[in-house]
Amino acid sequence: IEVIVGKRGSGGDAASQRDLVQERLLTTFLTEMDGVDQMEGVLVIGATNRRNAIDSALLRPGRFDIQIELPLPGVDDRVDILRKVAGKVPGSEEVDWRAVAEACEGASAADLRNYVNITCFEVIPRGGQPVTSDYLRIVTEDRQKRIKSSRGL
């Protein structure tokens, strides 16, 4: 939701064209949401990975006033996600998914999908060799370091 209607004034000192458009979108969206209670059977749902980027006006009563936080997947969930994402990747049946999942603590489902995709794209130039646990672990450890440093951890 923050992509469509992010915080007002988040663009710094100089208001850019994008900030003006986003502010108009937010104002229109808030006006429309205020009229939703008059309509029966309408439920507005929004999702974000960046709660800090949502304008506080969206969180007022009668708008997005019910919030459900979904935790990051645990190790068993990460194993399931990795297996599902890897699907028919050559060599995936030989991968120790538990070891890979344990190396991915704090990764979201999107992060895990990204790790598998990056591994596949890096394997293609090597003649399509099968993905191995070791190679996948190297990619995930590298990505985990990048994510932690970008999040200031």
Side-chain angles (χ1 to χ4, degrees), residues 71-105:
L72 292 171
V75 69
D76 291 332
D77 293 328
R78 291 193 304 270
V79 170
D80 292 342
I81 292 166
L82 285 163
R83 283 188 177 137
K84 176 78 171 165
V85 169
K88 297 179 182 175
V89 172
S92 63
E93 62 280 350
E94 303 298 323
V95 171
D96 180 357
W97 292 114
R98 177 151 297 276
V100 175
E102 288 171 354
C104 298
E105 186 176 346

Side-chain angles (χ1 to χ4, degrees), residues 11 25-26 28 35 40 43 47-48 52 55-56 66 81 83-84 91 94 96 102 113 116 122 149:
L25 274 171
L26 176 61
T28 302
E40 282 191 41
L43 178 65
T48 184
N52 63 329
D55 195 276
S56 60
I66 298 174
I81 292 166
R83 283 188 177 137
K84 176 78 171 165
E94 303 298 323
D96 180 357
E102 288 171 354
R113 181 180 196 98
V116 172
E122 290 186 10
S149 69

Side-chain angles (χ1 to χ4, degrees), residues 41-54:
V42 175
L43 178 65
V44 180
I45 299 174
T48 184
N49 289 330
R50 300 181 53 223
R51 187 163 183 253
N52 63 329
I54 295 176

Side-chain angles (χ1 to χ4, degrees), residues 3-87:
V3 173
I4 299 170
V5 288
K7 275 187 181 175
R8 288 174 273 208
S10 60
D13 294 335
S16 69
Q17 186 68 21
R18 181 185 57 82
D19 292 334
L20 294 172
V21 169
Q22 189 166 10
E23 192 159 330
R24 277 191 235 137
L25 274 171
L26 176 61
T27 302
T28 302
F29 191 73
L30 291 171
T31 302
E32 292 297 322
M33 285 196 69
D34 288 341
V36 166
D37 61 342
Q38 299 166 3
M39 293 185 269
E40 282 191 41
V42 175
L43 178 65
V44 180
I45 299 174
T48 184
N49 289 330
R50 300 181 53 223
R51 187 163 183 253
N52 63 329
I54 295 176
D55 195 276
S56 60
L58 286 168
L59 303 176
R60 291 191 188 131
R63 295 179 178 158
F64 290 111
D65 51 355
I66 298 174
Q67 298 170 34
I68 301 169
E69 257 187 69
L70 299 176
L72 292 171
V75 69
D76 291 332
D77 293 328
R78 291 193 304 270
V79 170
D80 292 342
I81 292 166
L82 285 163
R83 283 188 177 137
K84 176 78 171 165
V85 169

